[in-house]
Amino acid sequence: MTNGTAAPTDLDTRLEAHRTELTGYCYRMLGSSFEAEDAVQDTMVRAWRSYDKFEGRSSLRSWLYRIATNVCLDMLTAGNKRARPMDLTESTPLARAALSPRPDNTWLEPMPDARVLPTTEDPAEAAVAKESVRLAFMAALQQLPAKQRAVLILREVLAWRASEVAELLDTSVASVNSALQRARATLAERQQPGADAVVSDPLDEDQQKLLDRYVAAFEGYDMAALTALLHEDAVMTMPPFDLWLTGVGDITGFMTTLGAPCAGSRLVPVEVNGLPGFAQYKPDPEGGGFMPWAVQVLEISDGRITGFHCFLDTERWFPLFDLPLRLEAEADQVEQGA
């Protein structure tokens, strides 16, 4: 590529072609959907402004990753590590359950697949990409120092060569290999709940049937049916609250007590963090119809639901997922993928 020859519209097109994969990279680095999109926008602006200094010694893609990495490292200097409730507190028995919120910047955030998973015709590449945005892996990444995080993502998720990562980070191949070894050791020591989740791409017949049964049980608020679908050690979380529950009894007990207003909800499928998910709308007692309540992310293993994660900040999540902010009462059937 010859320096300075790209017309503005051509450069815009070429930069935009990398937006989804860069958003995925920044999301893995930062653990926040909104911060990731801010980081990518900053990357694009910096690339545009400094394009006349780009000498073409690397590919445009490599150059953009270098800029994005620096943006993310700058954003991570404050040391904030996004977390899930189980990273911060012990599981709470239902008898002591209390809904105590923490600030938004505490939490690992959900992300629509379409914003972070580029289209690929390679099934193995697609599987790795999906696995690398699942909540358990994302939570594990947050335990790593920022540069180790970058090395692990670039080497193991994006399959960059050690020499390429060393050039991007202005360091040596030996340093990259050492950082990767330390990162792997840390992840091995800190096995995250949900790390054993197994989801086919696309869902296999048994997984789809499990989800169909889940929808019927949840919308019918049938605790006996739901009990049959949950693993005995299933975990339920509800950010921004730090409460998390373990076990079928506490989960269903919560749903019939503090969670009782969710009875009669409607679920709309979403693709989130490489996992099955649903937008939950609960009945609106004042206006009729259904109001946004949560984005649910489900983890599945051995034919049972092992994780049930409800992100409740609907004013942020529903627009991010391009979801309607209301369902009318007669909308008993919602078009798939709405």
Side-chain angles (χ1 to χ4, degrees):
M1 179 172 51
T2 304
N3 181 33
T5 61
T9 53
D10 178 54
L11 179 57
D12 280 340
T13 300
R14 297 178 68 193
L15 294 177
E16 283 300 318
H18 297 282
R19 182 177 290 274
T20 300
E21 65 171 311
L22 287 172
T23 304
Y25 175 61
C26 294
Y27 175 60
R28 296 178 185 100
M29 284 291 292
L30 301 170
S32 164
S33 37
F34 294 104
E35 287 184 359
E37 295 197 333
D38 287 346
V40 172
Q41 192 58 35
D42 191 1
T43 297
M44 297 297 188
V45 170
R46 293 190 191 190
W48 176 268
R49 289 176 176 170
S50 59
Y51 183 73
D52 60 343
K53 300 176 184 176
F54 174 53
E55 298 176 354
R57 288 178 295 186
S58 63
S59 68
L60 178 64
R61 179 174 182 257
S62 297
W63 184 58
L64 288 172
Y65 269 93
R66 175 188 286 268
I67 298 172
T69 299
N70 289 332
V71 170
C72 289
L73 293 177
D74 288 345
M75 293 175 73
L76 288 167
T77 53
N80 180 51
K81 294 181 180 181
R82 298 279 176 159
R84 299 194 293 173
M86 62 277 282
D87 302 322
L88 303 177
T89 64
E90 296 296 322
S91 177
T92 305
L94 178 60
R96 299 207 312 269
L99 299 178
S100 304
R102 296 202 187 192
D104 290 341
N105 64 2
T106 304
W107 303 116
L108 180 65
E109 297 178 348
M111 178 66 102
D113 285 358
R115 290 182 182 253
V116 292
L117 299 178
T119 302
T120 176
E121 295 181 1
D122 183 342
E125 184 179 322
V128 169
K130 278 199 167 187
E131 289 170 5
S132 69
V133 293
R134 289 180 183 167
L135 295 175
F137 185 76
M138 289 288 300
L141 285 176
Q142 301 301 300
Q143 305 300 316
L144 300 175
K147 287 196 175 180
Q148 285 186 30
R149 202 180 306 178
V151 168
L152 185 84
I153 296 166
L154 290 165
R155 290 282 285 119
E156 303 228 316
V157 177
L158 301 176
W160 285 40
R161 295 190 296 271
S163 57
E164 294 173 320
V165 178
E167 182 178 357
L168 183 147
L169 294 175
D170 291 323
T171 188
S172 66
V173 169
S175 178
V176 167
N177 289 336
S178 176
L180 179 60
Q181 186 175 13
R182 294 196 304 273
R184 286 172 173 166
T186 298
L187 296 192
E189 291 170 3
R190 303 182 184 182
Q191 186 77 354
Q192 289 285 327
D196 59 350
V198 178
V199 181
S200 300
D201 183 24
L203 296 176
D204 64 33
E205 184 178 357
D206 288 341
Q207 291 168 347
Q208 189 57 61
K209 286 180 178 177
L210 176 65
L211 292 182
D212 292 343
R213 292 169 64 197
Y214 170 76
V215 171
F218 193 95
E219 291 189 342
Y221 231 59
D222 183 339
M223 293 302 116
L226 191 61
T227 295
L229 306 178
L230 294 174
H231 190 279
E232 60 182 5
D233 296 323
V235 168
M236 179 180 182
T237 68
M238 292 164 285
F241 301 116
D242 58 16
L243 169 74
W244 63 285
L245 302 166
T246 304
V248 176
D250 278 0
I251 291 173
T252 57
F254 178 89
M255 291 176 67
T256 55
T257 54
L258 291 175
C262 290
S265 290
R266 294 290 180 267
L267 299 181
V268 177
V270 294
E271 294 182 342
V272 50
N273 285 87
L275 292 164
F278 297 93
Q280 177 193 344
Y281 293 82
K282 74 172 188 176
D284 182 351
E286 296 182 1
F290 301 89
M291 57 191 287
W293 186 248
V295 170
Q296 301 180 359
V297 186
L298 304 186
E299 293 166 334
I300 299 172
S301 182
D302 295 328
R304 293 286 185 271
I305 295 168
T306 56
F308 174 50
H309 307 289
C310 304
F311 294 89
L312 303 181
D313 191 351
T314 55
E315 290 186 1
R316 303 175 75 212
W317 306 134
F318 276 53
L320 181 70
F321 283 80
D322 296 322
L323 289 160
L325 295 178
R326 180 173 189 78
L327 295 183
E328 297 306 323
E330 66 271 21
D332 290 332
Q333 300 294 327
V334 180
E335 184 178 348
Q336 296 287 311

